Amino acid sequence: MIGYRHMDEPKKPGVDRRSFLTGAATGAAAALIAQQTSVAGAQTATTAEPSVQGGETAKPASDFMVDIFKSLDMEYMFSMCASSFMGIHESVLNYAGNKNPQSITCTHEEISVAMANGYAKIEGKPVLVCAHATVGAQHATMALYDAWADRVPIYLVLGNTNDAADRQGEVFWLHSAQDPCALVREFTKWDDNPSSLTHFAESAVRAYKIAMTPPMGPVAIVADEKLQEEHAPADAHIPKLNVPSPPAADSGAIAEIAKLLVAAENPVIVASRAARTPAGLALMVELAEALQAGVVDSRRRLNFPTRHPLNGGSAAQADVVLALEQPDIANVARQARQRNAKVISVTAQHLFQRSNYQDFQRYAEVDMSVAADAEASLPALIEEIRRQTTPARREAFRQRGERVAEANARAFEQARVDASYGWDASPVSTARLSMELWAQLKTEDWSYVTGWVNWPLRLWDFTQHHQYIGRAGAEGVGYYAPASVGAALANKKHGRISVSIQPDGDLMVAPGALWTAAKYQVPILIVMQNNRAYHQEVMWFQRAALMRKRSVELTQEGFGLGNPNIDFAKLASSLGVGSSGPIADPKDLAAAIRRGIDVVKRGEPYLIDVVTQPR
Ligand SMILES: Cc1ncc(C[n+]2csc(CCOP(=O)(O)OP(=O)(O)O)c2C)c(N)n1
């Protein structure tokens, strides 16, 4: 039988956690330790045949759990270590030889989850995150909420001691919950607390499947500590993963959308998370070109190449708006109403929503609402648009495309002019910082893994999906530093240079991410946007004070990060990351960036502290 041992049942041959804790091993445990020690030493753990004991094997259940994670192609395990998932962690190291998944030490669970977020946005799939059920889950929550709001698949395993009779002392009680996933249930897609190994296997595969089905999102499953220590039966079965094909718009909806778009004089496409994959980006280009319509990219992902002639436009100028995976559809609809435009919304968001957290935003009054994944709907839509386009419409499209391209070229020129203001200013303007970076990055294989400075998106030439991963889904401060390290770790095997423009307030939430970057030689160039303030909130403070006709002078109280100034170069080097700065004179930037890129090309992280204008 696989599952819990009843209190009155004789104990099965297995590993007794208490004996590990006291240093004394039972006979079975001693044999297992001996077996594992030799296996680990030979680095042939996965090929070792465990001995059979009474229909079961000496293979700990956590080895089987790791086999499941392997079947799900988990490349890494991000975690802050904790006894409640020690079985899994030990199996990762000694059974799997610390490969697929490789254990990556994180210094905060918020870092583990935010790193997994950045990783998933580059790789298009989740990575394993393990955490203590109570205290670990509590630390993980904000990063999970960011992922939830951003439709990012996160795979969280929470260690817990389910059986009260097995909690050895106060700390085990403090670190156990009756329902560990309750804390995160409002911002996860699915969770479970399996009570047998068979149950765990099914739930582990099911969790992956649910996380990856659009709308994607975080999932959590409990790995009961005692379950990890059972023995896996010889015939333990790993269910085959099958991720459903994403829901595409039906043929009737496709025909209707195409009809509206083909007939429109000035259709505009608005997209936020439409391109989930590189193929999605290519499809967006096909769609825009088929219609010769402008694309407004709200950029929760890279949905459109930034220098494509059709990149740009406004829903306020349109007569038909096609909104693709746009979270704030109501806002788009409000703009569109200025010219009585028809609004079509295609999003998988309609297929899964929760009540408490309000990320669904205002109710949108649209003319056509299609509950489907945008990317999956694009091939049929493009084909239907082409089918319905007559030669006369094609000529009208061509002329429209020229007008859109001219307007977009003017907007690009304006952005270049805007960027030149304060070019030589000290502290450094964020435009100058962005363009000094671009000057040296443009000949490299690069990926802009974070930052809310807008200049790169206005002026750099983004052509590939991995070159931009959007922002923090729920705008939680503390996301950028770890998410960029996770994305850069994913980029590493592709040989890409990851670069972030890192806000100072954000880095101070989870600076430990730098140590993880150093420890695992994550090639990332971190350029500080060190404005020595929580500037977003400074602006809110100034607005409030001005509206009340009171002083705006108190901005350092509660909003400033100066006095004392934080020395980010020293902070980075103390955590093992090479660094330079603080740089306040823009003339010093180019040389520092060159040095930084050289270090990153050697496969290491590097931080440049740049003292900047507020934004
Ligand atoms: C967890 C969390 N706490 C507080 C806020 C409110 N908040 C929004 S922006 C911001 C300032 C962020 O400062 P920094 O990262 O330095 O960027 P800057 O605004 O200076 O460009 C704060 C505190 C938030 N969004 N998330």
Side-chain angles (χ1 to χ4, degrees), residues 6-21:
H6 290 293
M7 290 302 291
D8 52 355
E9 272 183 345
K11 194 159 189 261
K12 288 183 178 165
V15 185
D16 184 340
R17 175 174 48 76
R18 280 160 291 186
S19 51
F20 277 124
L21 295 175

PDB file of all heavy atoms in Angstrom, residues 6-21:
ATOM      1  N   HIS A   6      -0.831   4.288   9.434  1.00  0.00           N
ATOM      2  CA  HIS A   6      -1.668   4.618  10.578  1.00  0.00           C
ATOM      3  C   HIS A   6      -0.827   4.543  11.841  1.00  0.00           C
ATOM      4  O   HIS A   6       0.156   3.828  11.917  1.00  0.00           O
ATOM      5  CB  HIS A   6      -2.852   3.658  10.663  1.00  0.00           C
ATOM      6  CG  HIS A   6      -3.832   3.896   9.561  1.00  0.00           C
ATOM      7  ND1 HIS A   6      -4.584   5.041   9.477  1.00  0.00           N
ATOM      8  CD2 HIS A   6      -4.141   3.148   8.474  1.00  0.00           C
ATOM      9  CE1 HIS A   6      -5.335   4.995   8.394  1.00  0.00           C
ATOM     10  NE2 HIS A   6      -5.081   3.858   7.761  1.00  0.00           N
ATOM     11  N   MET A   7      -1.265   5.279  12.849  1.00  0.00           N
ATOM     12  CA  MET A   7      -0.495   5.339  14.094  1.00  0.00           C
ATOM     13  C   MET A   7      -0.278   3.966  14.704  1.00  0.00           C
ATOM     14  O   MET A   7       0.751   3.700  15.295  1.00  0.00           O
ATOM     15  CB  MET A   7      -1.223   6.233  15.102  1.00  0.00           C
ATOM     16  CG  MET A   7      -1.205   7.706  14.738  1.00  0.00           C
ATOM     17  SD  MET A   7       0.470   8.339  14.556  1.00  0.00           S
ATOM     18  CE  MET A   7       1.009   8.285  16.253  1.00  0.00           C
ATOM     19  N   ASP A   8      -1.274   3.088  14.521  1.00  0.00           N
ATOM     20  CA  ASP A   8      -1.164   1.792  15.180  1.00  0.00           C
ATOM     21  C   ASP A   8      -0.506   0.739  14.278  1.00  0.00           C
ATOM     22  O   ASP A   8      -0.346  -0.402  14.670  1.00  0.00           O
ATOM     23  CB  ASP A   8      -2.553   1.319  15.646  1.00  0.00           C
ATOM     24  CG  ASP A   8      -3.571   1.355  14.536  1.00  0.00           C
ATOM     25  OD1 ASP A   8      -3.226   1.830  13.427  1.00  0.00           O
ATOM     26  OD2 ASP A   8      -4.688   0.921  14.780  1.00  0.00           O
ATOM     27  N   GLU A   9      -0.157   1.111  13.069  1.00  0.00           N
ATOM     28  CA  GLU A   9       0.509   0.159  12.180  1.00  0.00           C
ATOM     29  C   GLU A   9       1.981   0.058  12.556  1.00  0.00           C
ATOM     30  O   GLU A   9       2.583   1.047  12.982  1.00  0.00           O
ATOM     31  CB  GLU A   9       0.434   0.657  10.736  1.00  0.00           C
ATOM     32  CG  GLU A   9      -0.822   0.223  10.013  1.00  0.00           C
ATOM     33  CD  GLU A   9      -0.785   0.695   8.572  1.00  0.00           C
ATOM     34  OE1 GLU A   9       0.041   1.560   8.248  1.00  0.00           O
ATOM     35  OE2 GLU A   9      -1.595   0.203   7.817  1.00  0.00           O
ATOM     36  N   PRO A  10       2.556  -1.132  12.339  1.00  0.00           N
ATOM     37  CA  PRO A  10       3.998  -1.197  12.576  1.00  0.00           C
ATOM     38  C   PRO A  10       4.729  -0.318  11.567  1.00  0.00           C
ATOM     39  O   PRO A  10       4.293  -0.173  10.433  1.00  0.00           O
ATOM     40  CB  PRO A  10       4.322  -2.679  12.362  1.00  0.00           C
ATOM     41  CG  PRO A  10       3.187  -3.219  11.554  1.00  0.00           C
ATOM     42  CD  PRO A  10       1.993  -2.392  11.876  1.00  0.00           C
ATOM     43  N   LYS A  11       5.802   0.285  11.995  1.00  0.00           N
ATOM     44  CA  LYS A  11       6.531   1.195  11.122  1.00  0.00           C
ATOM     45  C   LYS A  11       7.188   0.422   9.990  1.00  0.00           C
ATOM     46  O   LYS A  11       7.767  -0.633  10.197  1.00  0.00           O
ATOM     47  CB  LYS A  11       7.603   1.919  11.942  1.00  0.00           C
ATOM     48  CG  LYS A  11       8.164   3.098  11.232  1.00  0.00           C
ATOM     49  CD  LYS A  11       8.795   4.052  12.230  1.00  0.00           C
ATOM     50  CE  LYS A  11       9.154   5.326  11.496  1.00  0.00           C
ATOM     51  NZ  LYS A  11      10.530   5.380  11.140  1.00  0.00           N
ATOM     52  N   LYS A  12       7.079   0.940   8.784  1.00  0.00           N
ATOM     53  CA  LYS A  12       7.679   0.273   7.638  1.00  0.00           C
ATOM     54  C   LYS A  12       9.180   0.525   7.640  1.00  0.00           C
ATOM     55  O   LYS A  12       9.631   1.531   8.185  1.00  0.00           O
ATOM     56  CB  LYS A  12       7.057   0.834   6.363  1.00  0.00           C
ATOM     57  CG  LYS A  12       5.649   0.363   6.199  1.00  0.00           C
ATOM     58  CD  LYS A  12       5.084   0.851   4.911  1.00  0.00           C
ATOM     59  CE  LYS A  12       3.689   0.310   4.766  1.00  0.00           C
ATOM     60  NZ  LYS A  12       2.934   0.984   3.748  1.00  0.00           N
ATOM     61  N   PRO A  13       9.916  -0.383   7.007  1.00  0.00           N
ATOM     62  CA  PRO A  13      11.342  -0.112   6.927  1.00  0.00           C
ATOM     63  C   PRO A  13      11.553   1.188   6.167  1.00  0.00           C
ATOM     64  O   PRO A  13      11.014   1.365   5.079  1.00  0.00           O
ATOM     65  CB  PRO A  13      11.901  -1.301   6.144  1.00  0.00           C
ATOM     66  CG  PRO A  13      10.723  -1.923   5.460  1.00  0.00           C
ATOM     67  CD  PRO A  13       9.527  -1.599   6.297  1.00  0.00           C
ATOM     68  N   GLY A  14      12.213   2.111   6.740  1.00  0.00           N
ATOM     69  CA  GLY A  14      12.368   3.390   6.054  1.00  0.00           C
ATOM     70  C   GLY A  14      13.375   4.248   6.758  1.00  0.00           C
ATOM     71  O   GLY A  14      14.141   3.779   7.585  1.00  0.00           O
ATOM     72  N   VAL A  15      13.341   5.492   6.438  1.00  0.00           N
ATOM     73  CA  VAL A  15      14.281   6.433   7.005  1.00  0.00           C
ATOM     74  C   VAL A  15      13.570   7.199   8.099  1.00  0.00           C
ATOM     75  O   VAL A  15      12.511   7.756   7.877  1.00  0.00           O
ATOM     76  CB  VAL A  15      14.764   7.421   5.916  1.00  0.00           C
ATOM     77  CG1 VAL A  15      15.830   8.327   6.487  1.00  0.00           C
ATOM     78  CG2 VAL A  15      15.269   6.655   4.708  1.00  0.00           C
ATOM     79  N   ASP A  16      14.124   7.202   9.266  1.00  0.00           N
ATOM     80  CA  ASP A  16      13.518   7.909  10.380  1.00  0.00           C
ATOM     81  C   ASP A  16      14.190   9.270  10.498  1.00  0.00           C
ATOM     82  O   ASP A  16      15.371   9.387  10.776  1.00  0.00           O
ATOM     83  CB  ASP A  16      13.743   7.072  11.653  1.00  0.00           C
ATOM     84  CG  ASP A  16      13.054   7.708  12.843  1.00  0.00           C
ATOM     85  OD1 ASP A  16      12.761   8.916  12.792  1.00  0.00           O
ATOM     86  OD2 ASP A  16      12.824   6.971  13.819  1.00  0.00           O
ATOM     87  N   ARG A  17      13.405  10.316  10.253  1.00  0.00           N
ATOM     88  CA  ARG A  17      13.984  11.656  10.274  1.00  0.00           C
ATOM     89  C   ARG A  17      14.613  11.976  11.609  1.00  0.00           C
ATOM     90  O   ARG A  17      15.661  12.592  11.704  1.00  0.00           O
ATOM     91  CB  ARG A  17      12.898  12.680   9.947  1.00  0.00           C
ATOM     92  CG  ARG A  17      13.379  14.106  10.071  1.00  0.00           C
ATOM     93  CD  ARG A  17      12.348  15.078   9.607  1.00  0.00           C
ATOM     94  NE  ARG A  17      11.037  14.812  10.164  1.00  0.00           N
ATOM     95  CZ  ARG A  17      10.700  15.098  11.421  1.00  0.00           C
ATOM     96  NH1 ARG A  17      11.579  15.607  12.242  1.00  0.00           N
ATOM     97  NH2 ARG A  17       9.488  14.850  11.857  1.00  0.00           N
ATOM     98  N   ARG A  18      13.960  11.475  12.685  1.00  0.00           N
ATOM     99  CA  ARG A  18      14.474  11.795  14.014  1.00  0.00           C
ATOM    100  C   ARG A  18      15.882  11.246  14.214  1.00  0.00           C
ATOM    101  O   ARG A  18      16.711  11.846  14.848  1.00  0.00           O
ATOM    102  CB  ARG A  18      13.537  11.248  15.082  1.00  0.00           C
ATOM    103  CG  ARG A  18      12.351  12.158  15.279  1.00  0.00           C
ATOM    104  CD  ARG A  18      11.226  11.428  15.926  1.00  0.00           C
ATOM    105  NE  ARG A  18      10.673  10.440  15.032  1.00  0.00           N
ATOM    106  CZ  ARG A  18       9.593   9.739  15.303  1.00  0.00           C
ATOM    107  NH1 ARG A  18       8.972   9.880  16.441  1.00  0.00           N
ATOM    108  NH2 ARG A  18       9.114   8.876  14.438  1.00  0.00           N
ATOM    109  N   SER A  19      16.151  10.062  13.604  1.00  0.00           N
ATOM    110  CA  SER A  19      17.479   9.509  13.800  1.00  0.00           C
ATOM    111  C   SER A  19      18.523  10.323  13.045  1.00  0.00           C
ATOM    112  O   SER A  19      19.659  10.437  13.469  1.00  0.00           O
ATOM    113  CB  SER A  19      17.521   8.048  13.375  1.00  0.00           C
ATOM    114  OG  SER A  19      16.992   7.901  12.088  1.00  0.00           O
ATOM    115  N   PHE A  20      18.153  10.933  11.914  1.00  0.00           N
ATOM    116  CA  PHE A  20      19.086  11.845  11.253  1.00  0.00           C
ATOM    117  C   PHE A  20      19.387  13.012  12.176  1.00  0.00           C
ATOM    118  O   PHE A  20      20.496  13.468  12.300  1.00  0.00           O
ATOM    119  CB  PHE A  20      18.483  12.416   9.958  1.00  0.00           C
ATOM    120  CG  PHE A  20      18.631  11.510   8.780  1.00  0.00           C
ATOM    121  CD1 PHE A  20      17.528  11.104   8.055  1.00  0.00           C
ATOM    122  CD2 PHE A  20      19.881  11.055   8.395  1.00  0.00           C
ATOM    123  CE1 PHE A  20      17.670  10.284   6.962  1.00  0.00           C
ATOM    124  CE2 PHE A  20      20.031  10.221   7.294  1.00  0.00           C
ATOM    125  CZ  PHE A  20      18.913   9.826   6.584  1.00  0.00           C
ATOM    126  N   LEU A  21      18.311  13.485  12.849  1.00  0.00           N
ATOM    127  CA  LEU A  21      18.471  14.676  13.672  1.00  0.00           C
ATOM    128  C   LEU A  21      19.362  14.404  14.872  1.00  0.00           C
ATOM    129  O   LEU A  21      20.111  15.263  15.305  1.00  0.00           O
ATOM    130  CB  LEU A  21      17.098  15.186  14.133  1.00  0.00           C
ATOM    131  CG  LEU A  21      16.197  15.681  13.004  1.00  0.00           C
ATOM    132  CD1 LEU A  21      14.830  16.050  13.554  1.00  0.00           C
ATOM    133  CD2 LEU A  21      16.820  16.876  12.291  1.00  0.00           C
TER     134      LEU A  21
END
